[in-house]
Amino acid sequence: MKKAASAKGAASAKKAASKAGAAKATASKASGSKASGSKATASKTSDSKAPASKASSSKTSAAKKAAKGAAVKKAPAPKKVAVAPKKATARLKGTAPAKAVVHPPGDESPTALVRRARRMNRELAEVFPYAHPELDFENPFQLVVATVLSAQTTDLRVNQTTPSLFAKYPTPEDLAAANPEEVEEILRPCGFFRAKTKSVIGLSKALVEDFGGEVPGRLEDLVKLPGVGRKTAFVVLGNAFGRPGITVDTHFQRLVRRWRWTGESDPDKIEAAIGALFPKSDWTDLSHHVIWHGRRICHARKPACGACPIAPLCPAYGEGETDPEKAKKLLKYEKGGFPGQRLKPPQAYLDAGGTPAPPLGAG
């Protein structure tokens, strides 16, 4: 009886266990199906949201592009560079430049420098179309002597002195045989008259002994004469023989450095640097333009910036007086009634309204 009862209990326990296992399996299936259902729902939800997010991002990028395009369109146009007027002489009547265009030397390319330098020379050629050597001479001998005498003095003073000198000693032979004391007395108004007397008598002797009394037309020969350097030689070559040369005097040195055409200070290096900016055919006239501008407008201590025809091209604009009316008073300009340097200037200068210089002792 006991065995039968235990068997029945075991059977009932097995049945209960099997029912419990079935219940667990059913529960796990149900949970699995729910989980898969939630995953599917989530994936569907994410898929439905994806196109909307892409569309919104594309709209945002399109809006950004449109805004960027509008910003580009609204950007202000670059300012126009102020340039000197075609007729630069109008500036000398008191019209101030609209704005100075500063060219920092470090930012200016070699090509830009060449263009600016050549344009400045063209502008000066319009202002001084009659520019010429400001020493009176009738032949190469007179020019070489006058140029030697012009050191440390004005061309005007030389021109007032040489008529007496050439009247008494018209040829190299005459001056070579002259009494030094008599020559010194004539040259006294030029300053450094003893040294200059020695130079002009010495170069006259060299002309007679080495060149048959004729002034040579070659640079290497001219620089051998007493008192004649490269500057004097180029004055003679350019103006007596028509051979191009750059005259690097004090005005020329000052202006080409002020204009940032070169940073050199040695005359020979300045000559080489400026010669590289211009064609050789321009060298002689270029020298006249720069020297005339330095004497009349772009002075050493107080340049007349407000009346300068090339102010828009000058990196040193503002170093001098910029007020047009005040600057106009600084001009030493022959059109304003000032006399020139020569007693016998070229006809083109007189036709342009230039006034001859007075002789020595006049006024």
Side-chain angles (χ1 to χ4, degrees), residues 149 156-166 186-190 360:
L149 296 179
L156 171 59
R157 179 61 64 184
V158 174
N159 291 336
Q160 291 173 330
T161 305
T162 51
S164 299
L165 179 70
F166 295 137
I186 295 173
L187 300 184
R188 188 179 293 273
C190 289
L360 185 65

Side-chain angles (χ1 to χ4, degrees), residues 223-248:
V223 295
K224 294 177 183 177
L225 300 174
V228 177
R230 290 180 68 87
K231 183 197 83 170
T232 299
F234 280 128
V235 170
V236 176
L237 289 173
N239 298 288
F241 293 98
R243 297 177 183 174
I246 295 177
T247 305
V248 185

Side-chain angles (χ1 to χ4, degrees), residues 171-174 176 203-214:
T171 68
E173 290 81 2
D174 295 326
L203 75 84
S204 298
K205 288 180 178 179
L207 290 176
V208 173
E209 295 171 2
D210 300 332
F211 301 100
E214 299 291 332

Side-chain angles (χ1 to χ4, degrees), residues 70-84:
V72 172
K73 289 180 182 178
K74 290 180 181 179
K79 294 182 179 179
K80 291 184 178 181
V81 177
V83 296

Side-chain angles (χ1 to χ4, degrees), residues 228-297:
V228 177
R230 290 180 68 87
K231 183 197 83 170
T232 299
F234 280 128
V235 170
V236 176
L237 289 173
N239 298 288
F241 293 98
R243 297 177 183 174
I246 295 177
T247 305
V248 185
D249 71 348
T250 54
H251 299 288
F252 193 95
Q253 290 185 51
R254 184 180 77 252
L255 265 62
V256 298
R257 287 170 58 83
R258 180 176 281 174
W259 294 340
R260 307 296 203 280
W261 286 5
T262 181
E264 300 290 350
S265 56
D266 179 74
D268 291 349
K269 291 182 179 179
I270 290 175
E271 177 196 322
I274 304 306
L277 300 178
F278 296 88
K280 194 171 183 179
S281 58
D282 289 350
W283 288 357
T284 299
D285 286 340
L286 167 71
S287 301
H288 293 324
H289 297 155
V290 175
I291 293 170
W292 275 56
H293 190 65
R295 287 175 172 173
R296 288 156 175 77
I297 299 174

